[in-house]
Amino acid sequence: MTEALPTLWFVLIAVLWAGYLFLEGFDLGVGMLMKLMSRNDTQRRVLLGTVGPVWDGNEVWLITAVGATFAAFPYWYASLLSALYFPFLLVLLGLIFRAVAFEWRGKRDSDSWRNRWDWAIAVGSFTAAAGIGAALALTTIGLPLDANGDRVGGAFVWANASALLGAAAVVLFCLVHAAAFLVLKTEGGVHDQADRFFRRLLPLAMIPFVGWALLIQLRSGSPLTWAVLVLGVAGLGLAYRSSSAGRDGWAFLGLGAAMLALVGAIFGAVFPVVLPSTLDSAFDLTVQNASSSPYTLGLMSVVACFGLPLVLAYQAWTYWVFRRRISEASIPAAHAVVPL
């Protein structure tokens, strides 16, 4: 049983990252669409209204994924975050600027004030999505690590084609995922714009993600992971056909299922390696040589059995409460508030 615990936690961490991309993906995309799709302040307020009740809860998945990596695979955590110190710093700054902008955007009735915070939301969302995408691609494709798990090379040795592929994959997925979410959550002009945006972007937006998964399969794929990859591509076809037929829910679920399948194919193909070394495969970090003690993993498993269902239940309840569609007609006119 103790030998299976590292494998279990590798699967759980992969699930946490997939859950983060599914939930945080659409609100990062909505943030970027603040400057790419909306035409006026009312439409931007509609976009904010769709993610306002849930965006901070979605970020818990990132904290949990990184925290689980630290506790279950400390050597993976140490090598990855130290090698990618600068991009993770940019991710944190992007998330901070984004969070502050959500809170401060409506504090003053001024177009220039709102415009600055809109840019903070858009740029912060893009930075976070690109940084996470680069990190996930590099942890599956590889970094120049020596026998001690230390990075070999300068501070920007990570800035390569693999990082660019991952950044493009996640950024474009977030944009198309956000469009599918907005079609599901809005009415009127925003709904129509998002619907057109989704169908135009989907055929091209998922090419980097599929290319990333295909690259991993060509290197270390198995018949099972190839089958999962095919299911992911089929999910993209389902999403496009459902959108064309006006089935908003199926389009959103089809795209989400495709992303989950692609992430499953990627992590499944690299297993049991958690962080490959591009210098020598003997330096690879695996689920066995990078994991914590069996006692630590066992204790974490017990806590997860009780904590994870509670988190899932709470988030499901939150989405159920705020399930109604939003339209421009439901947005009140902007006005100044005089403090008492």
Side-chain angles (χ1 to χ4, degrees), residues 111-246:
D111 290 337
S112 60
W113 170 271
R114 287 189 289 266
N115 183 60
R116 287 195 293 270
W117 290 118
D118 288 343
W119 275 111
I121 294 172
V123 174
S125 299
F126 171 81
T127 303
I132 292 298
L136 289 177
L138 290 169
T139 199
T140 54
I141 297 174
L143 284 166
L145 304 177
D146 61 18
N148 295 321
D150 298 325
R151 182 191 66 208
V152 176
F156 294 95
V157 71
W158 54 269
N160 53 35
S162 298
L164 182 60
L165 176 64
V170 172
V171 167
L172 290 173
F173 166 74
C174 288
L175 286 172
V176 73
H177 193 39
F181 176 74
L182 290 173
V183 172
L184 191 64
K185 283 288 295 178
T186 62
E187 297 175 334
V190 174
H191 173 278
D192 296 339
Q193 289 181 58
D195 190 41
R196 291 191 297 268
F197 189 86
F198 177 79
R199 281 198 295 275
R200 290 174 182 173
L201 188 63
L202 179 61
L204 297 176
M206 293 303 291
I207 290 176
F209 218 130
V210 174
W212 172 17
L214 185 60
L215 175 63
I216 299 296
Q217 301 311 308
L218 292 173
R219 292 177 56 177
S220 55
S222 66
L224 177 59
T225 56
W226 274 104
V228 175
L229 174 59
V230 171
L231 289 176
V233 175
L236 296 178
L238 171 64
Y240 188 84
R241 288 177 61 87
S242 298
S243 176
S244 300

